[in-house]
Amino acid sequence: MTTLRDISRHLGLSVTQVSRALNNHEDVSEETRKRVQEAAKELNYQPNMMARRLVTGRSGIVGFVQPRMPGPEESVFFMHFLAGLSAGFSQHGRQFVLHMADREDDPLDVYARLVGTRSIDGFVITEPVMDDPRIAYLRENNVPFVLHGQTMDQPDFPFFDIDNVAVGYDLTKHLIDHGHRDIAFINGIEGSSYVHRREVGYRRALEEAGLPYRKPFDLRGPMSENTGLLETVRMFQSEGPKPTAIVAGNMRIAKGIFTALDAVGLSVPNDISLVAHDDLLPDVMPHKLPVAVSGTTSPIAESWGPLADHLSRFLDGAPLQDVQKIAPHTFIKRGSVRPA
């Protein structure tokens, strides 16, 4: 079995230099880090987890708790998510484990049991809600974690996110700039942090333009094709004002909106303008919809590497400000919007 000493002899570096390079310490040059990592791969080096735990008090294992089996629509995404995180942590010499909780389990009891084993150094948390109890528990017990998202204005933990306030604002503002005044928003599940932030952006754009906020136009539901279909049909079959434009939380919702509009005899963009946020999910792409949909874009798959990097570096002692990032998004104009 290859050891750190074998790598140090191979490269003519000290064992300390090799160790710090493999653990991505900031005082190691990029050139040295690359040499060491390539040598470790060439010599088939595998970190000794038992030795690491004796020296550092850590196991080298990080975890993710999944509260339920993903449905058919989410299964492909879930596998990409697990593969991306596993590969990311592997690059940092860490093992990534998945814990499938029982449907009846209290999530906090699950975390308490796992923390009690002292076998997991930290956790990846996704899909945060406002005042998330998982985050409160881990913070109170000084358990390291990285969050995919945000829950507070000045977080004291590692996170990776996009600016969802700006996403909601940019999508709505684009429709306002094309003369639309009656704009609906089919958003995600009530209580989710990113849903709240996108609503803030949506309402900010309306307010800046002097437009009223209409509760019946601000809709919630799972980020699915079915949500887009049902909520759109309800809007156009109900009494009261109808929107001339719709903001969709993602491309799955947008796909459902197309189906619903066709069912009620309307089309994009002739009757209704449509914008959406695109996570670049593999199962639904903008150019494969009946009309290519304009909107914001930020590939969700590009989150997995940074999440693994942030938690790994934080466990190795990186400053908090170096493991908190809000990634940019872009706006792409296609053919789904026309002037009101």
Side-chain angles (χ1 to χ4, degrees):
M1 181 180 293
T2 303
T3 66
L4 292 179
R5 191 172 298 280
D6 294 327
I7 299 174
S8 73
R9 291 196 189 105
H10 180 74
L11 296 175
L13 299 172
S14 71
V15 173
T16 299
Q17 284 177 298
V18 171
S19 176
R20 296 182 74 80
L22 288 174
N23 287 291
N24 292 292
H25 283 271
E26 295 183 349
D27 60 351
V28 179
S29 70
E30 185 60 32
E31 180 183 356
T32 299
R33 192 192 323 273
K34 186 175 180 180
R35 284 182 62 210
V36 171
Q37 290 174 347
E38 289 176 351
K41 185 176 181 180
E42 177 187 342
L43 299 175
N44 195 30
Y45 168 75
Q46 298 295 328
N48 186 319
M49 295 300 178
M50 184 64 71
R52 170 184 280 183
R53 186 164 189 170
L54 289 172
V55 173
T56 66
R58 296 191 181 278
S59 66
I61 300 173
V62 293
F64 175 75
V65 177
Q66 174 66 13
R68 56 177 174 75
M69 285 295 293
E73 193 173 53
E74 295 293 334
S75 59
V76 173
F77 166 77
F78 186 62
M79 292 304 298
H80 281 278
F81 160 73
L82 293 179
L85 281 179
S86 182
F89 282 115
S90 180
Q91 291 177 0
H92 288 272
R94 300 183 188 278
Q95 294 183 1
F96 173 67
V97 298
L98 167 67
H99 179 90
M100 292 296 303
D102 188 277
R103 185 179 294 272
E104 304 301 321
D105 283 344
D106 182 317
L108 295 189
D109 288 343
V110 175
Y111 280 98
R113 289 198 301 269
L114 293 174
V115 170
T117 67
R118 303 181 65 185
S119 61
I120 297 180
D121 295 338
F123 293 90
V124 177
I125 306 294
T126 63
E127 300 181 0
V129 298
M130 305 303 294
D131 300 319
D132 197 304
R134 299 170 300 173
I135 293 172
Y137 171 81
L138 295 175
R139 290 175 70 232
E140 288 169 4
N141 289 276
N142 297 313
V143 179
F145 66 94
V146 64
L147 181 68
H148 185 215
Q150 297 176 78
T151 58
M152 58 186 72
D153 292 333
Q154 294 182 322
D156 56 0
F157 48 79
F159 72 84
F160 184 85
D161 197 15
I162 61 173
D163 188 342
N164 280 296
V165 174
V167 165
Y169 178 91
D170 291 349
L171 291 169
T172 310
K173 183 70 162 53
H174 184 72
L175 295 171
I176 292 171
D177 289 345
H178 281 75
H180 292 278
R181 297 294 179 264
D182 300 305
I183 302 170
F185 188 5
I186 304 181
N187 204 346
I189 295 175
E190 184 73 38
S192 296
S193 176
Y194 76 93
V195 170
H196 170 73
R197 289 175 178 273
R198 289 183 185 181
E199 182 193 354
V200 169
Y202 165 69
R203 296 182 69 157
R204 183 177 297 170
L206 294 176
E207 183 179 357
E208 286 184 3
L211 301 177
Y213 167 76
R214 294 189 175 101
K215 183 62 177 176
F217 282 3
D218 190 2
L219 305 167
R220 300 283 189 277
M223 291 290 237
S224 67
E225 182 178 346
N226 196 47
T227 294
L229 170 62
L230 292 176
E231 295 302 335
T232 302
V233 168
R234 285 171 182 159
M235 269 195 297
F236 284 94
Q237 289 186 341
S238 66
E239 297 181 357
K242 305 294 187 290
T244 63
I246 303 174
V247 176
N250 72 355
M251 287 296 166
R252 288 175 179 160
I253 290 176
K255 186 177 181 181
I257 292 171
F258 275 105
T259 303
L261 291 176
D262 182 64
V264 297
L266 300 173
S267 67
V268 174
N270 295 328
D271 303 299
I272 302 295
S273 288
L274 175 64
V275 294
H277 179 68
D278 183 15
D279 295 302
L280 267 66
L281 297 174
D283 58 317
V284 54
M285 303 295 285
H287 62 278
K288 292 186 178 181
L289 296 174
V291 176
V293 177
S294 299
T296 50
T297 297
S298 181
I300 197 168
E302 292 183 2
S303 301
W304 316 143
L307 287 170
D309 177 76
H310 285 11
L311 181 54
S312 294
R313 292 172 60 202
F314 186 65
L315 289 168
D316 288 334
L320 188 61
Q321 65 269 20
D322 291 349
V323 291
Q324 296 179 325
K325 183 176 180 180
I326 298 177
H329 63 272
T330 58
F331 194 102
I332 300 177
K333 297 178 181 180
R334 298 187 178 98
S336 61
V337 177
R338 66 180 298 176

